């Protein structure tokens, strides 16, 4: 039997888009993979928002080889959100499919770590994240081009614009595939664009979940969605993206929704005498931003103050005044601009710690210390955080700041990440100084005793009913004292904190 000519082979592969991946590569495709491959054959631009472990990289690798060996000349350009995803995931899968193909596809010398070179105008290549600039996509024009963005949610906007410059010929295709983490990202925009054909893959579309047992071990386990529902909750952005295959609703991406932030203003402060008083200082010196202090004790923001411009020495003196006024046990100073203030406070004998919020978190699911502190702030709001009378002077500025940042999943690390200060400043047109000072007070907060707000109120009421002097009889040290001694010691502080 005579072998088909190159033109006959290409005609056959182009007429049936499933021929090459199933007959030549020998892949056992499931329903959504077939839908994606057919969609690339029929549509110029295809966006796939998919849940976790849904064969995204496997499908991208199959399309890379299918397109390359179905069109001549042709060029396939692949990239991802991070270098490891391109090299060790996508291109490892491409090389694996070449090795396991039913027919020899090319000589070994044609294959490198992140490229497959069949001829000068016939190749596939992987671009690393370091090459994220518009110039990296120049020189790849061809009559047949396929662009693949794996983990597309983490790819920056300039690269999307550069890739569009290659979509100028009659037969050009663009596949963007990934977890739908951020609805405001470029990937989120294209998934809602009429120019793109959208495919959604949820956990309930995958074979194992459909069958109720693990029939394909390389895919999501059948009981994983239910485990994550119990662990994360159905409103968690991670549940939306990794289980439902949906972009989180805009409100659900906010660290603290505005309604919850405003509710803090209507609460009466609860006693927190057995918690230390801590101060957070976000200094900017003579810069354009505010120098902000936030004083917190337990679930009460006792005071919020700010000045526009001041020297390090002046900031340190005012901080020392606040320490003396509120009997604060420690001051946390932002390490970005606070080294000078820190040195002055040390010389004044104040217990102070310099904090870099960008340093890694000790929690494996959290990107950095700032995000960890933000999650504690959100828990405090849910547990009954309130503002004292002194703090309410800056209530509107404080509420505006804590209700502004988004909490998303970093596509590169798949960890929770608070919106960075540069992005937030660009979006708001100002610096979120009140937020940063507040987060500093939560860096080392012990949240083990914090309960949902309604339960706290009920518990305090029950405890007060059985005390001759009510809930206010507890002293700063947490020991019971004679009421006349207690009131003589703390009447002024109670008035300042809103308890009297």
């Amino acid at each position: 039997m005579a072998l088909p000519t190159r033109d006959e082979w290409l005609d056959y592969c182009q007429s049936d888009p499933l021929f090459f991946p199933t007959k030549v590569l020998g892949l056992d495709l499931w329903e959504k993979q077939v839908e994606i491959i057919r969609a690339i054959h029929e549509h110029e631009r295809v966006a796939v928002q998919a849940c976790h472990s849904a064969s995204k990289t496997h499908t991208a690798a199959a399309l890379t080889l299918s397109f390359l060996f179905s069109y001549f000349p042709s060029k396939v350009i692949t990239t991802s959100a991070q270098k490891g995803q391109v090299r060790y995931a996508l291109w490892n899968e491409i090389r694996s499919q070449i090795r396991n193909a039913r027919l020899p596809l090319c000589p070994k010398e044609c294959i490198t770590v992140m490229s497959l070179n069949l001829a000068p105008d016939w190749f596939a290549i992987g671009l690393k994240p370091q090459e994220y600039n518009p110039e990296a996509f120049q020189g790849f024009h061809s009559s047949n081009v396929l662009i693949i963005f794996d983990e597309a949610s983490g790819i920056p906007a300039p690269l999307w614009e550069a890739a569009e410059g290659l979509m100028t010929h009659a037969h050009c295709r663009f596949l963007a595939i990934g977890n739908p983490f951020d609805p405001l990202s470029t990937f989120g925009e294209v998934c809602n664009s009429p120019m793109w054909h959208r495919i959604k893959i949820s956990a309930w579309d995958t074979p194992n979940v459909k069958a109720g047992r693990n029939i394909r071990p390389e895919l999501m386990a059948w009981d994983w969605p239910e485990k994550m529902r119990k662990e994360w909750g159905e409103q968690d952005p991670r549940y939306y993206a990794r289980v439902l295959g949906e972009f989180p609703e805009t409100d659900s991406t906010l660290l603290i929704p505005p309604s919850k932030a405003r509710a803090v203003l209507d609460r009466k402060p609860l006693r927190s005498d057995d918690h230390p008083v801590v101060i957070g200082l976000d200094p900017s010196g003579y810069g354009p931003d505010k120098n902000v202090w936030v004083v917190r004790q337990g679930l009460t923001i006792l005071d919020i103050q700010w000045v526009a411009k001041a020297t390090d020495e002046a900031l340190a003196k005012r901080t020392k005044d606040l320490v003396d006024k509120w009997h604060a046990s420690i001051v946390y100073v932002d390490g970005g601009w606070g080294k000078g203030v820190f040195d002055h406070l040390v010389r004044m004998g104040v217990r102070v710690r310099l904090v870099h919020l960008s340093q890694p978190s000790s929690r494996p699911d959290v990107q950095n210390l700032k995000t960890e502190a933000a999650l504690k702030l959100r828990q405090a709001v849910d547990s009954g955080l309130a503002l004292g009378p002194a703090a309410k002077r800056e209530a509107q500025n404080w509420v505006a700041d804590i209700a502004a940042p988004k909490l998303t999943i970093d596509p590169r690390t798949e960890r929770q990440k608070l919106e960075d200060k540069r992005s937030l400043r660009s979006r708001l047109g100002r610096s979120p100084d009140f937020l940063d000072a507040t987060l500093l007070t939560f860096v080392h907060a012990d949240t083990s005793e914090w309960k949902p707000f309604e339960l706290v109120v009920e518990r305090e009421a029950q405890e007060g009913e059985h005390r001759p002097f009510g809930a206010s009889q507890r002293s700063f040290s947490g020991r019971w004292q004679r009421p006349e001694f207690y009131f003589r010691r703390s009447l002024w502080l109670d008035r300042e904190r809103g308890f009297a």
Side-chain angles (χ1 to χ4, degrees):
M1 181 178 179
L3 293 175
T5 65
R6 186 187 67 184
D7 291 340
E8 292 174 341
W9 170 270
L10 295 176
D11 288 342
Y12 196 81
C13 290
Q14 293 170 20
S15 63
D16 182 5
L18 297 177
F19 170 77
F20 191 90
T22 57
K23 304 301 182 182
V24 180
L25 297 179
L27 302 179
D28 181 18
L29 304 176
W30 57 283
E31 179 183 353
K32 284 295 182 178
Q33 287 183 294
V34 171
E35 182 180 351
I36 294 169
I37 292 173
R38 289 193 181 279
I40 282 291
H41 184 71
E42 299 169 0
H43 303 275
E44 282 189 354
R45 297 169 177 83
V46 177
V48 182
Q49 55 182 78
C51 62
H52 191 62
S53 296
S55 302
K56 297 185 294 294
T57 300
H58 184 268
T59 306
L63 275 169
T64 298
L65 296 175
S66 297
F67 190 91
L68 186 66
F69 285 95
S70 297
Y71 296 94
F72 175 82
S74 62
K75 298 176 182 178
V76 182
I77 298 93
T78 66
T79 192
S80 185
Q82 54 183 331
K83 180 180 179 180
Q85 180 67 24
V86 183
R87 179 170 182 172
Y88 300 113
L90 179 56
W91 275 88
N92 264 1
E93 181 62 34
I94 290 173
R95 291 193 298 273
S96 175
Q97 291 185 13
I98 292 174
R99 286 194 303 270
N100 297 325
R102 294 175 177 174
L103 297 175
L105 298 180
C106 61
K108 290 183 178 180
E109 54 268 22
C110 294
I111 307 171
T112 66
V113 175
M114 290 199 299
S115 68
L116 175 56
N117 299 287
L118 302 178
D121 56 352
W122 193 18
F123 60 83
I125 188 172
L127 298 179
K128 304 185 297 294
Q130 291 92 328
E131 298 164 343
Y132 273 9
N133 57 77
E135 290 75 16
F137 267 51
Q138 292 181 0
F140 293 123
H141 292 279
S142 175
S143 55
N144 301 288
V145 173
L146 172 63
I147 303 166
I148 295 180
F149 279 7
D150 196 14
E151 299 299 342
S153 190
I155 295 178
L159 202 57
W160 289 83
E161 296 173 6
E164 280 293 337
L166 302 180
M167 301 289 292
T168 56
H169 291 82
H171 192 261
C172 295
R173 297 291 185 265
F174 199 154
L175 172 68
I177 188 169
N179 296 117
F181 287 127
D182 186 359
L184 302 181
S185 65
T186 307
F187 183 51
E189 294 175 3
V190 303
C191 285
N192 291 297
S193 170
M195 293 180 60
W196 289 72
H197 176 76
R198 185 180 71 162
I199 296 175
K200 189 188 78 172
I201 305 176
S202 77
W204 285 269
D205 294 322
T206 58
N208 294 339
V209 178
K210 271 187 172 182
R213 57 191 178 92
N214 294 329
I215 57 177
R216 300 186 68 139
E218 74 276 10
L219 296 176
M220 178 189 297
W222 71 272
D223 57 347
W224 189 79
E226 180 61 21
K227 289 178 180 178
M228 295 304 101
R229 186 187 68 82
K230 293 179 180 179
E231 180 176 344
W232 294 335
E234 294 184 4
Q235 300 304 315
D236 192 286
R238 292 171 292 180
Y239 186 80
Y240 270 86
R242 296 180 179 177
V243 178
L244 300 180
E246 294 277 9
F247 285 97
E249 297 177 2
T250 303
D251 285 347
S252 70
T253 65
L254 293 175
L255 172 70
I256 300 171
S259 57
K260 285 190 174 183
R262 289 191 295 269
V264 174
L265 305 181
D266 299 326
R267 297 172 183 165
K268 183 178 179 180
L270 300 174
R271 298 202 63 86
S272 305
D273 297 335
D274 49 353
H275 291 275
V277 177
V278 298
I279 297 177
L281 168 58
D282 180 36
S284 68
Y286 268 89
D289 302 331
K290 296 181 177 69
N291 300 277
V292 178
W293 294 265
V294 171
V295 185
R296 180 183 65 83
Q297 184 180 35
L299 290 174
T300 301
I301 303 294
L302 301 174
D303 199 358
I304 302 172
Q305 296 188 18
W306 67 273
V307 295
K309 297 180 185 293
T311 63
D312 290 344
E313 184 177 2
L315 293 175
K317 287 181 178 179
R318 186 154 180 173
T319 304
K320 180 66 165 61
D321 292 341
L322 287 173
V323 170
D324 295 338
K325 175 182 178 180
W326 296 105
H327 303 287
S329 61
I330 191 170
V331 177
Y332 295 103
V333 180
D334 184 76
W337 292 94
K339 183 62 169 62
V341 182
F342 171 82
D343 291 338
H344 283 291
L345 289 172
V346 170
R347 287 193 288 270
M348 292 177 180
V350 176
R351 186 172 175 230
V352 60
R353 181 174 295 183
L354 202 63
V355 178
H356 295 275
L357 292 173
S358 59
Q359 71 184 55
S361 169
S362 59
R363 290 178 49 177
D365 61 330
V366 174
Q367 185 80 354
N368 50 36
L369 194 60
K370 185 174 185 177
T371 306
E372 184 178 347
L375 292 173
K376 292 179 181 179
L377 170 60
R378 182 168 69 177
Q379 183 179 349
V381 170
D382 291 339
S383 301
L385 184 69
L387 300 185
K392 286 188 176 181
R393 290 191 291 264
E394 298 295 338
Q396 297 304 320
N397 290 330
W398 184 82
V399 167
D401 270 15
I402 71 163
K406 296 184 297 181
L407 182 69
T408 57
I409 306 298
D410 188 338
R412 298 170 181 255
T413 61
E414 296 194 356
R415 295 178 178 178
Q416 295 182 86
K417 181 182 179 182
L418 189 71
E419 184 177 9
D420 62 75
K421 192 168 185 175
R422 180 180 299 178
S423 171
L424 196 54
R425 184 198 295 268
S426 174
R427 187 158 59 83
L428 300 178
R430 56 179 170 80
S431 177
D433 303 310
F434 292 90
L435 170 68
D436 291 342
T438 304
L439 293 181
L440 287 168
T441 70
F442 284 93
V443 167
H444 295 290
D446 181 8
T447 63
S448 58
E449 297 182 1
W450 295 354
K451 307 296 181 184
F453 181 51
E454 293 77 7
L455 299 181
V456 174
V457 174
E458 181 181 351
R459 183 190 66 193
E460 290 285 334
Q462 292 174 352
E463 290 179 353
E465 290 171 0
H466 300 290
R467 299 178 187 172
F469 294 96
S472 64
Q473 191 175 0
R474 182 171 290 276
S475 73
F476 286 98
S477 63
R479 297 189 295 271
W480 295 100
Q481 299 186 9
R482 288 163 48 201
E484 63 270 17
F485 175 79
Y486 172 78
F487 286 117
R488 184 170 66 248
R489 180 182 180 186
S490 61
L491 182 60
W492 176 82
L493 282 173
D494 275 358
R495 188 179 299 114
E496 285 292 307
R497 297 174 189 185
F499 302 137

